Amino acid sequence: VSGFTGVFVSGTETNPSITFKDDPNTGIFSIDSDKVSVTTAGQNRVNFTSDYPILIGTSTGVEYESNVVNGIQIQSVSKARGGILIQNNGTGSNGNALVFARAKGASPNNTTLVADNDQIGLIKFQGADGNDIKSEAAIIECKVAGTPGINTMPGELLFKTASTSSGAAPTTRMTIEPEGKVIVQNGIISSGNVQITDPSFLLVSGYRQDKILIPGVYQDPSLNNASLGYLQASTFGAVNGEAMVFK
């Protein structure tokens, strides 16, 4: 050691180069160029690399789509070691938050305004197809849906699933719009008693809260759309002595 600089051999996961007197198989080593690794009990646990910043449970990162990598990757061979726990032990009423944020600047901690239709965040579900891990089964997506401004961020949630067709990408099946309207579309949502098929959709309308609207079932001029029908459930009393009316 010279001054404040130390030069060490690379070491291995069972014999790290920086270690402890009474625990020689726990410490820090370098598994390869531009990589720093942490080992405990002689097993590589965490790797910091130049290409994939933080790798847990593996020393080799993977792309989840072409030319796209994660800042953090966790690999495991069992449920016991592959999850993430976020626990709040405070005495207050608030819980923890998982936040997906988006700005349109090109630097960290930016607050440049986003625009209508910009994607804010995704939760993706992908499975190995025998070739790679890039095949998407389902997506939950949040987008800006309107004009944003100071303390105003209109948004919508899109729920997408992939069909059984070869090479099919996830398609939007349900959308929650900014004012709370829920649209179910493009496919069968149930094989039981309730079934909405393409090109129909299920619309729960805020201006008629006692209605479930189904296109092409019944004409009601009061809805200002002759193509919409409805299933009416009375929540404040019977209609003509009945608890539910099908029209």
Side-chain angles (χ1 to χ4, degrees):
V1 178
S2 175
F4 294 98
T5 302
V7 179
F8 305 90
V9 297
S10 296
T12 65
E13 63 181 355
T14 57
N15 187 27
S17 53
I18 301 175
T19 186
F20 305 93
K21 179 180 178 180
D22 298 324
D23 193 4
N25 65 353
T26 295
I28 301 173
F29 71 104
S30 177
I31 194 172
D32 203 349
S33 298
D34 299 322
K35 291 183 179 181
V36 175
S37 304
V38 177
T39 182
T40 62
Q43 294 188 39
N44 186 348
R45 306 296 186 181
V46 183
N47 298 273
F48 301 87
T49 77
S50 59
D51 296 326
Y52 302 82
I54 302 176
L55 304 175
I56 300 174
T58 181
S59 60
T60 305
V62 297
E63 294 182 348
Y64 72 91
E65 59 182 77
S66 296
N67 301 315
V68 178
V69 299
N70 297 95
I72 299 175
Q73 293 191 16
I74 301 174
Q75 297 276 348
S76 73
V77 295
S78 69
K79 175 182 177 181
R81 295 185 178 274
I84 299 175
L85 169 66
I86 305 174
Q87 181 171 332
N88 184 335
N89 296 298
T91 58
S93 60
N94 293 328
N96 294 324
L98 181 63
V99 179
F100 297 84
R102 172 78 192 281
K104 299 202 77 170
S107 61
N109 303 315
N110 205 281
T111 58
T112 302
L113 183 69
V114 293
D116 182 30
N117 208 43
D118 278 349
Q119 191 180 83
I120 292 181
L122 295 168
I123 300 176
K124 302 177 89 173
F125 303 86
Q126 299 181 192
D129 60 6
N131 181 54
D132 55 38
I133 201 73
K134 300 174 184 178
S135 293
E136 299 169 342
I139 297 173
I140 302 174
E141 177 182 357
C142 177
K143 298 175 66 176
V144 180
T147 303
I150 301 298
N151 297 324
T152 302
M153 191 58 58
E156 65 181 6
L157 282 178
L158 292 82
F159 296 81
K160 304 179 179 183
T161 60
S163 71
T164 56
S165 300
S166 178
T171 300
T172 300
R173 310 298 184 183
M174 184 174 75
T175 302
I176 303 177
E177 296 186 344
E179 304 305 326
K181 183 168 68 176
V182 179
I183 300 175
V184 178
Q185 58 194 17
N186 297 331
I188 299 174
I189 65 169
S190 171
S191 60
N193 295 328
V194 179
Q195 189 175 94
I196 310 298
T197 58
D198 191 19
S200 301
F201 59 85
L202 179 65
L203 169 63
V204 180
S205 173
Y207 63 85
R208 296 295 294 274
Q209 294 182 359
D210 60 340
K211 304 289 191 294
I212 297 177
L213 305 174
I214 304 175
V217 176
Y218 177 80
Q219 180 174 332
D220 184 353
S222 68
L223 296 178
N224 298 319
N225 189 330
S227 67
L228 295 178
Y230 64 83
L231 166 67
Q232 175 175 321
S234 175
T235 56
F236 300 103
V239 178
N240 297 326
E242 299 171 327
M244 181 174 288
V245 176
F246 297 87
K247 294 187 177 181

